[in-house]
Amino acid sequence: MKKNLFLGMATLAMIMAGCSQDEVLNSESSSQNDVIGFSTYTSKTKAAQAGTNTNLPGGFGVTAFVGAVTVPYMGSANAGVQISWKTDKWDYENPADLHYWPIEPLKFYAYAPFANTNRVVTPTYSSTDGMTFTNYEVSATNANQDDFMYASNLNPTSGSVVTLAFKHALTQILFTAITEGPYLEVDIEKDGIKICNVVSKGTFVLPIAGTGQTWTPSATKTDRINYTATSDAQLNVKNVTTVAVNTTPLTLMPQTLVKWATAEGAEVTIAANDALPTPNTYLEITCKIRDTAGNYLLGSGTAYGKTYVPFAGTWAMGKKITYALTFGGGYDANGRPILKPITFIPTVEDWVDEAQTVPFK
């Protein structure tokens, strides 16, 4: 453990939620408990190396309150004090923000990343609602989808070690693809898979109890958008071999998705579905499908076609879901089957190691 002396710091320990086999990156401590300082821990299961801030790029913001007052002791009504990685330790970004322990116990709220040009909303705090991000919006661009994280500690004693257990507030989505049998071959266009009619905006609340955090997705139709699973190039799927579609996960808002109704139910075309006050969700896949004899079942040698797939499920905070797409046809824009519909076998897991299986059809 590397130890650096930082004035008369008490230690604020920060532990990534769900991590096992934690490795101490840095700590600052002394016999004096007057300055609020910081140390960082990270999971050995992640790619972070000692002496880096890999797990919290952009730093984090911390706000502290004394008792039930609404005016923060540390931070402001709409922003935490910025803590940044400086050379080999976490430190106040602005030295003028340095805070000392008061006589009374403090309650801490934190969020990351702090330096986030993609997030246009700032937190608000109250003695009744805790920390709230109103109308948080997930960018339509994969590269701009940040790993939004949150933490709180509402019971620290003045001058003691404070633990902030950061957790992921969003959901990661990955896709793999496989053909139904060796008699089919599929070419998926680069960036050719979209999840359509997904809520992009919502309100996140971390209650004063420090637990029971919730997302309330927007009910506004214009806040439903399409997200593209980015790929490096055209993907060729054949010989019943699983192919990774997007190696960079989509990081999206937790929500429950209701699937588009096809001709097998109450027939609704894609156009009619998108015109609904609350349009339902589906995949739009731009691809070519052919048999082993070279006959095109969708698209042609010079052009891609589109197939649509009803898509439903529940996305929970801090979960990584991998949807295995089995290509056998899908539906056209009128909800009529193209060969046989694509099926799903999603695998849901925590962002650390724990995994669970959630069936989806």
Side-chain angles (χ1 to χ4, degrees):
M1 179 185 297
K2 183 179 179 180
K3 182 177 294 183
N4 295 315
L5 197 61
F6 178 66
L7 297 178
M9 282 194 171
T11 302
L12 175 59
M14 186 180 66
I15 302 176
M16 302 304 295
C19 295
S20 60
Q21 302 177 343
D22 293 326
E23 175 187 12
V24 179
L25 290 187
N26 187 74
S27 64
E28 299 82 31
S29 62
S30 77
S31 60
Q32 300 178 25
N33 291 326
D34 50 357
V35 177
I36 302 175
F38 305 87
S39 67
T40 303
Y41 292 71
T42 187
S43 169
K44 288 184 178 179
T45 62
K46 295 190 177 182
Q49 301 298 319
T52 71
N53 64 331
T54 304
N55 286 338
L56 288 174
F60 58 95
V62 178
T63 301
F65 293 84
V66 176
V69 299
T70 57
V71 178
Y73 171 79
M74 173 187 287
S76 64
N78 62 359
V81 165
Q82 183 176 4
I83 307 301
S84 301
W85 186 261
K86 296 188 175 181
T87 307
D88 61 352
K89 66 179 181 180
W90 291 104
D91 204 349
Y92 294 91
E93 175 66 22
N94 183 355
D97 286 333
L98 185 146
H99 280 71
Y100 293 80
W101 285 98
I103 296 175
E104 301 89 344
L106 292 175
K107 297 181 178 181
F108 291 86
Y109 294 94
Y111 59 92
F114 182 94
N116 186 345
T117 58
N118 302 312
R119 186 186 67 236
V120 297
V121 298
T122 56
T124 57
Y125 305 90
S126 79
S127 58
T128 56
D129 297 329
M131 181 173 68
T132 300
F133 284 82
T134 302
N135 289 329
Y136 183 100
E137 186 170 6
V138 177
S139 173
T141 303
N142 197 177
N144 294 337
Q145 294 164 2
D146 293 291
D147 182 7
F148 174 38
M149 302 182 75
Y150 63 94
S152 67
N153 191 319
L154 310 180
N155 301 298
T157 302
S158 178
S160 68
V161 174
V162 178
T163 299
L164 286 174
F166 274 83
K167 299 179 181 180
H168 303 282
L170 300 175
T171 308
Q172 286 190 342
I173 303 296
L174 290 162
F175 290 96
T176 63
I178 192 171
T179 56
E180 188 174 56
Y183 50 83
L184 288 180
E185 185 172 354
V186 181
D187 292 330
I188 305 175
E189 186 181 34
K190 180 182 183 297
D191 301 340
I193 295 182
K194 295 180 181 179
I195 313 177
C196 301
N197 296 322
V198 175
V199 178
S200 64
K201 188 180 293 185
T203 296
F204 174 81
V205 177
L206 178 61
I208 57 172
T211 58
Q213 55 277 359
T214 60
W215 277 104
T216 302
S218 170
T220 303
K221 181 178 179 178
T222 53
D223 291 333
R224 288 179 176 267
I225 66 174
N226 301 339
Y227 287 99
T228 299
T230 58
S231 53
D232 296 331
Q234 173 186 287
L235 300 172
N236 179 250
V237 186
K238 63 180 179 179
N239 296 330
V240 200
T241 300
T242 299
V243 175
V245 175
N246 56 330
T247 54
T248 300
L250 290 163
T251 306
L252 305 180
M253 182 165 298
Q255 59 193 276
T256 297
L257 307 174
V258 178
K259 67 181 180 180
W260 159 58
T262 66
E264 294 180 341
E267 182 174 347
V268 178
T269 66
I270 288 293
N273 176 77
D274 291 350
L276 294 172
T278 306
N280 295 323
T281 310
Y282 57 87
L283 297 182
E284 177 188 285
I285 303 176
T286 304
C287 62
K288 302 174 184 178
I289 302 176
R290 57 186 174 274
D291 60 25
T292 52
N295 301 309
Y296 281 88
L297 309 174
L298 181 67
S300 67
T302 58
Y304 291 95
K306 292 186 184 295
T307 183
Y308 302 89
V309 183
F311 193 81
T314 298
W315 295 349
M317 285 184 277
K319 299 296 182 181
K320 179 169 65 177
I321 304 175
T322 300
Y323 288 98
L325 310 180
T326 301
F327 275 85
Y331 297 84
D332 65 19
N334 293 312
R336 300 187 182 94
I338 301 173
L339 298 178
K340 294 176 64 178
I342 295 172
T343 60
F344 301 91
I345 306 175
T347 300
V348 182
E349 59 184 348
D350 289 335
W351 287 13
V352 185
D353 284 328
E354 182 181 352
Q356 57 181 304
T357 299
V358 177
F360 176 89
K361 293 186 182 293

